[in-house]
Amino acid sequence: MKIGFIGLGNVGGKLAGSLLRNGIDLTVRDLDPAAVRPLADAGAQVGESPAAMAASCDVVITCLPSPAASRAVLEAGDGVLDGLTPGTIWAEMSTTDEAEVRRLGALVAGKGGEPVDCPVSGGCHRAATGNIAIFAGGERAAFERLLPVLKAMGRRILHTGPLGSASVLKVVTNYLATANLVSLCEALATARMAGMDLNTTYEAIRISSGNSFVHETESQVILNGSRDINFTMDL
């Protein structure tokens, strides 16, 4: 199976790297040549255009920073829709809008393609190690065809129902993670004002009923001063 991957940013580049490490026949594309270079050096082919990739690949994956970017990659001249052939799977791994992924999915289906929305959850470090969670919404048959590809990128994979359902759940989980992060910031600030050592506070939370995935990952970058979680406010 030949895979095309468009969008090699904070998460996309790491997901594409997992595909390459697992021996997938991979073609990649990004507007930033610096993002393409490491994967090309590791053996990936470089796509001439989204249309050319759609014409030559069994699966086209998009992992882009916004619904507008996905719209442009699919609908602009020489976009995915221009090259799509019947039976090709479009896997939308961007964090996107349910209505927009359904709209684009209808255009893909109109060309005989099979749309699946496949947002991920777990952060860049899990994307880099192939241990990220993946939600997948779409027809069951398309999901089953895509599953070996998803397993090369993640370990916890859930078929969530029809197209768009995965995008809804991704936003819900982002909401929960953000609420958890805000409460952790309040807790750490309270502990500091009470004179507690924050490293000790971190460990106390980690072994307590107040622990969470967000605490174990994001609290570390708060305490080490970097505050860089490779995640945008838009998401």
Side-chain angles (χ1 to χ4, degrees):
M1 183 178 284
K2 188 169 184 177
I3 310 301
F5 203 111
I6 302 172
L8 306 173
N10 289 334
V11 173
K14 296 173 178 62
L15 295 175
S18 290
L19 292 174
L20 205 55
R21 286 194 304 274
N22 280 278
I24 300 292
D25 185 353
L26 184 66
T27 301
V28 298
R29 181 172 174 81
D30 194 278
L31 293 177
D32 181 3
V36 174
R37 193 172 301 115
L39 291 162
D41 290 345
Q45 300 173 65
V46 179
E48 294 181 8
S49 68
M53 293 170 71
S56 63
C57 294
D58 302 296
V59 176
V60 177
I61 297 171
T62 49
C63 190
L64 299 159
S66 68
S70 292
R71 183 162 57 247
V73 166
L74 265 74
E75 295 186 280
D78 222 13
V80 168
L81 289 171
D82 282 349
L84 201 69
T85 56
T88 301
I89 292 175
W90 169 52
E92 171 62 294
M93 300 195 79
S94 317
T95 297
T96 189
D97 175 75
E98 174 205 6
E100 182 65 0
V101 79
R102 288 182 185 274
R103 185 187 72 81
L104 292 174
L107 297 177
V108 168
K111 293 273 190 174
E114 300 180 79
V116 183
D117 60 322
C118 307
V120 299
S121 182
C124 289
H125 62 293
R126 287 197 172 183
T129 58
N131 189 31
I132 204 159
I134 305 175
F135 305 145
E139 294 294 330
R140 185 77 196 193
F143 168 73
E144 294 291 348
R145 282 184 58 207
L146 185 60
L147 188 56
V149 179
L150 299 180
K151 285 182 175 179
M153 295 182 282
R155 293 184 187 173
R156 297 176 182 177
I157 300 163
L158 178 67
H159 183 238
T160 57
L163 183 70
S165 60
S167 294
V168 172
L169 289 172
K170 169 60 175 173
V171 172
V172 169
T173 60
N174 277 8
Y175 168 79
L176 289 170
T178 302
N180 193 187
L181 181 58
V182 170
S183 66
L184 280 166
C185 291
E186 292 287 344
L188 292 171
T190 299
R192 183 173 185 176
M193 290 180 68
M196 294 299 302
D197 175 78
L198 290 186
N199 289 323
T200 302
T201 301
Y202 172 87
E203 288 298 326
I205 295 172
R206 189 182 65 81
I207 65 173
S208 76
S209 59
N211 191 35
S212 67
F213 171 80
V214 173
H215 172 62
E216 291 192 0
T217 55
E218 318 307 3
S219 291
Q220 291 189 56
V221 299
I222 293 171
L223 296 181
N224 69 23
S226 76
R227 297 181 174 85
D228 181 9
I229 57 173
N230 290 308
F231 195 81
T232 68
M233 289 299 292
D234 287 343
L235 296 179

